[in-house]
Amino acid sequence: MVRLSDIDKAKDNPPEELPKEKAPALDAGVVYNEAAAFVKEIFQRRSEKKELDIEEVCRFIGKAVEPIASADDKIIFLTTGTYLKECLCYHTVNVTILAIKVGLNLKYSSEQLVNLGALALLHALTGAEDEGYGAQELQRQEFIQKFIQARQLKEGFVKESLSIIAIVDVYESLTHMRSYRQRFMPHEVLKAIILASEKVFNPGIVKKIIEIFSIYPLGSFVRLNSEEVAQVILINKDFPLRPQVDILMDSRGI
């Protein structure tokens, strides 16, 4: 549990009205559920031994990029939710969304975002999570190799994209419970990723991901100096040590 000395508590103030010329952000829940439905369909086809249509994956990612970009940070919060069934499916959804968010932060082009998202989705089709694997191990996967060849992706882009996916894969997996272990706290996972960055991960990508996820990521639990227990619900990008939180339990444990 993390202690914060200076933190913004959630307020009940209504959100500010958006300027009329701007369309409201798409509902994060709708975006997330559509991604989950598509990934479940892909896994169902795999179980039926049907051939994977790579271009169909690209078309879906192409349609999903804009909604993921338009949806507010609540979509990142949704990736922190607990799932006890269909673990690999929801793991894939979360890794794909988080990878695209990283690509958006890195100012990837639309085409690059599609390729990054498709690689993130395809990485799980081996049927196993790669906790601790680096980009080189991911690149040896059959579906990843086929995709790289089919899209004629440049080596530099492939290397950076798989570095993003490798880090996000580990982060997402370790911050969720599995049948064989408990979940780890996000700040613990980020610390382990930093320590492994020189040998396993790309240090530059690690730094960028920490900037995006924050020291106190969305969905993480913290204990305030007041002994209240809270959950981070909004990252303050200007003041990363002062996220907005929702109080879940007072100092008496109530």
Side-chain angles (χ1 to χ4, degrees):
M1 193 72 73
V2 183
R3 291 177 179 271
L4 299 179
S5 58
D6 192 8
I7 196 165
D8 290 338
K9 298 181 181 181
K11 300 177 177 64
D12 295 327
N13 297 333
E16 295 182 4
E17 185 178 351
L18 291 172
K20 292 183 179 180
E21 65 271 15
K22 290 186 178 181
L26 296 175
D27 181 79
V30 172
V31 176
Y32 188 91
N33 289 335
E34 288 181 351
F38 181 78
V39 171
K40 288 179 182 179
E41 182 179 348
I42 292 295
F43 274 80
Q44 178 62 33
R45 293 183 191 176
R46 287 288 298 146
S47 68
E48 296 171 356
K49 309 294 184 183
K50 293 182 179 179
E51 186 175 351
L52 177 66
D53 185 344
I54 288 178
E55 290 306 313
E56 182 183 7
V57 172
C58 290
R59 286 193 295 271
F60 174 79
I61 296 296
K63 293 178 181 179
V65 164
E66 184 177 351
I68 290 173
S70 301
D72 55 30
D73 282 346
K74 287 182 180 178
I75 197 166
I76 298 181
F77 183 81
L78 290 175
T79 66
T80 68
T82 300
Y83 50 85
L84 300 178
K85 296 181 179 179
E86 300 180 290
C87 288
L88 190 57
C89 173
Y90 284 104
H91 169 74
T92 304
V93 173
N94 293 343
V95 170
T96 302
I97 289 173
L98 294 175
I100 290 173
K101 281 291 189 182
V102 174
L104 286 164
N105 192 272
L106 291 171
K107 309 300 182 183
Y108 275 18
S109 67
S110 297
E111 182 180 357
Q112 288 175 322
L113 289 169
V114 169
N115 288 328
L116 173 62
L119 285 168
L121 191 154
L122 293 171
H123 94 285
L125 292 183
T126 56
E129 294 175 73
D130 300 324
E131 295 180 356
Y133 281 6
Q136 292 181 348
E137 287 83 2
L138 286 175
Q139 191 164 349
R140 286 195 286 267
Q141 292 183 359
E142 176 187 358
F143 291 107
I144 295 292
Q145 289 181 343
K146 287 183 178 179
F147 184 81
I148 293 171
Q149 293 170 1
R151 303 284 284 190
Q152 298 182 336
L153 301 181
K154 294 182 179 179
E155 183 179 352
F157 173 78
V158 170
K159 184 176 181 180
E160 183 170 274
S161 295
L162 295 183
S163 292
I164 293 169
I165 295 167
I167 298 168
V168 172
D169 181 272
V170 169
Y171 176 82
E172 198 285 338
S173 181
L174 294 180
T175 53
H176 287 81
M177 183 184 299
R178 294 292 182 264
S179 59
Y180 51 88
R181 61 160 171 78
Q182 294 294 317
R183 69 186 290 269
F184 294 90
M185 298 299 292
H187 71 278
E188 295 175 328
V189 178
L190 288 176
K191 181 178 179 180
I193 288 173
I194 292 170
L195 292 174
S197 63
E198 292 297 333
K199 294 182 178 180
V200 180
F201 303 120
N202 181 320
I205 299 298
V206 168
K207 181 179 179 181
K208 181 60 65 173
I209 285 177
I210 290 173
E211 290 176 4
I212 297 168
F213 290 169
S214 177
I215 297 172
Y216 307 111
L218 283 172
S220 60
F221 296 91
V222 295
R223 187 183 296 278
L224 311 182
N225 280 6
S226 62
E227 296 300 323
E228 295 170 302
V229 174
Q231 186 175 33
V232 176
I233 60 172
L234 184 66
I235 293 173
N236 188 337
K237 292 181 172 61
D238 294 325
F239 302 97
L241 294 179
R242 298 180 59 187
Q244 186 173 335
V245 301
D246 184 18
I247 303 299
L248 303 178
M249 190 181 301
D250 64 21
S251 59
R252 299 170 297 171
I254 299 176

